[in-house]
Amino acid sequence: MTGGAGYIGSHMVLALRDAGEKAVVLDNLSTGFRWAVPEDVPFVAGDFGDEDLVSETLARHEVTAIAHFAAKIVVPESVADPLGYYHNNTAKARQLIECAVDAGVEHFIFSSTAAVYGDPDHNPVTEDETLKPVSPYGRSKLMVEWMLQDTAKAHPLRYAILRYFNVAGADPQGRSGQSTPNATHLIKVAVQAALGHRNGMEVFGTDYPTQDGSCVRDYIQVTDLAQAHMDALNYLRSGGDSITCNCGYAQGYSVLEVIDVVKNVSGVDFPVRISGRRPGDPSAIVAGNARIKSTLNWQPRYNDLKQIVQQALDWERRLHNRKAG
Ligand code: UFG
């Protein structure tokens, strides 16, 4: 798996390990952490664009399935550095897919994103909706979806493309969580504000056409998302056709609602400043999830925003103590 030392990848490592599966992690530690991968899981420090390293790793560990998590994921950063995003997320992914084909790897699970939909005309959005990404980030991922589709027609490789909505929360056992510094994601930012690790927070826009004017998103808990990958792996192994699935709960919360939940769960009324819209934000995006439930038999266990926020708070405290200690 690539990106196994990152936020979502590290939860997948735990899911695989808990299920007694063998895994090998390839990660260049640009945003991930070595400590996020348990010592008993083989770890290769390096880049997924390094053809020789990837081929050698696939052969040495007799890899039969790849889950590709490694990517740059910050939408505003992609607007400022499109070529960096197309290099890392698109060109290097092409390389990785080629290595997979050459090594005879038959199953490929790809971390895609709700950003491929752009600002959808209606919600919940289904997988067959017109794709019109508005950011280089969304486009960099959509091109990989296309490469996988074409590759699967030409070679014996089947894929599961998983389009993540807004990922949040942490491992319920406290073994991993969102650790990247300089967080931009709403729940992480709000939790840091609640714990006094930052001086309040901003709401980017309250003039959207939503119930309270702030943006609406579908927040999926990270262990449930890792389980979606496990379900996709089992589906492909049992002969399932290539598939593209949304990963979300089909439930939207506004930014102001999320902040209220963080204030209630933490018991802290931190300062919130209303500011202007953030460029590139769709007003509302909520996942239609009928396909992942029926085809992969995915059954979410942590669909509860209060619980997600509690996990994020617990992890943030742990992370803070780790740094202090
Ligand atoms: N927001 C704030 N204040 C903050 C941070 C965020 O108001 O300090 C708002 C944003 O403007 C947005 C919402 O909270 O309206 C959610 O923002 P995030 O940055 O948490 O997440 P995004 O929806 O922008 O993007 C995330 C992932 C993308 C993915 C997308 C899919 O970062 O990779 O979800 O919906 F594509």
Side-chain angles (χ1 to χ4, degrees):
M1 128 180 28
T2 72
Y7 175 39
I8 302 164
S10 66
H11 287 80
M12 180 64 175
V13 172
L14 295 174
L16 285 163
R17 193 165 164 266
D18 291 349
E21 296 268 2
K22 279 205 278 181
V24 52
V25 169
L26 174 66
D27 198 302
N28 67 3
L29 299 178
S30 59
T31 53
F33 299 92
R34 179 65 187 89
W35 53 256
V37 181
E39 288 294 333
D40 57 3
V41 174
F43 182 87
V44 179
D47 200 288
F48 70 89
D50 181 339
E51 196 180 341
D52 292 342
L53 181 64
V54 170
S55 298
E56 187 199 309
T57 305
L58 294 178
R60 176 175 304 169
H61 294 271
E62 299 176 345
V63 171
T64 56
I66 293 178
H68 176 40
F69 292 93
K72 288 172 171 275
I73 57 152
V74 181
V75 175
E77 185 183 70
S78 80
V79 176
D81 180 23
L83 295 176
Y85 271 66
Y86 291 131
H87 175 63
N88 192 75
N89 291 2
T90 313
K92 280 168 37 180
R94 195 212 70 84
Q95 190 78 55
L96 178 68
I97 296 168
E98 188 166 68
C99 289
V101 168
D102 290 348
V105 174
E106 290 191 354
H107 306 139
F108 199 103
I109 302 176
F110 175 57
S111 304
S112 189
T113 168
V116 298
Y117 297 113
D119 206 343
D121 297 330
H122 49 85
N123 278 302
V125 62
T126 64
E127 290 85 353
D128 301 322
E129 190 71 28
T130 313
L131 303 175
K132 37 183 182 147
V134 292
S135 63
Y137 169 66
R139 291 168 205 249
S140 73
K141 289 280 187 172
L142 179 53
M143 285 192 273
V144 181
E145 291 197 8
W146 289 336
M147 287 194 281
L148 283 170
Q149 289 164 9
D150 292 338
T151 304
K153 285 181 194 140
H155 299 282
L157 173 143
R158 280 172 294 124
Y159 62 80
I161 290 170
L162 300 181
R163 293 181 181 151
Y164 307 167
F165 283 62
N166 289 55
V167 190
D171 174 50
Q173 295 177 45
R175 296 171 294 176
S176 192
Q178 198 171 1
S179 309
T180 341
N182 308 319
T184 58
H185 288 107
L186 176 65
I187 291 182
K188 173 126 179 148
V189 167
V191 157
Q192 287 178 337
L195 295 177
H197 300 165
R198 66 166 69 217
N199 178 21
M201 64 172 292
E202 288 177 69
V203 174
F204 300 133
T206 50
D207 58 349
Y208 287 96
T210 59
Q211 66 263 30
D212 60 20
S214 64
C215 290
V216 169
R217 297 286 184 274
D218 189 334
Y219 295 90
I220 175 173
Q221 196 272 353
V222 64
T223 309
D224 276 346
L225 181 60
Q227 184 58 46
H229 294 71
M230 296 297 291
D231 295 341
L233 182 61
N234 290 329
Y235 164 87
L236 291 173
R237 279 175 175 168
S238 57
D241 287 337
S242 291
I243 192 168
T244 301
C245 292
N246 286 341
C247 298
Y249 293 142
Q251 170 146 28
Y253 290 95
S254 75
V255 172
L256 293 174
E257 284 172 338
V258 169
I259 292 173
D260 265 357
V261 171
V262 175
K263 286 187 173 183
N264 282 327
V265 172
S266 65
V268 182
D269 186 13
F270 50 87
V272 174
R273 296 172 291 278
I274 306 293
S275 65
R277 291 184 179 198
R278 192 175 69 174
D281 275 346
S283 57
I285 182 151
V286 176
N289 63 6
R291 185 183 290 175
I292 189 169
K293 284 185 162 169
S294 64
T295 313
L296 301 190
N297 196 25
W298 178 65
Q299 288 161 350
R301 295 167 61 199
Y302 302 102
N303 178 5
D304 174 1
L305 189 57
K306 284 195 189 117
Q307 196 182 7
I308 291 172
V309 165
Q310 186 63 60
Q311 291 171 354
L313 275 163
D314 291 345
W315 178 255
E316 202 61 37
R317 280 198 196 94
R318 230 176 253 258
L319 195 63
H320 199 66
N321 292 341
R322 169 187 279 275
K323 281 182 201 142

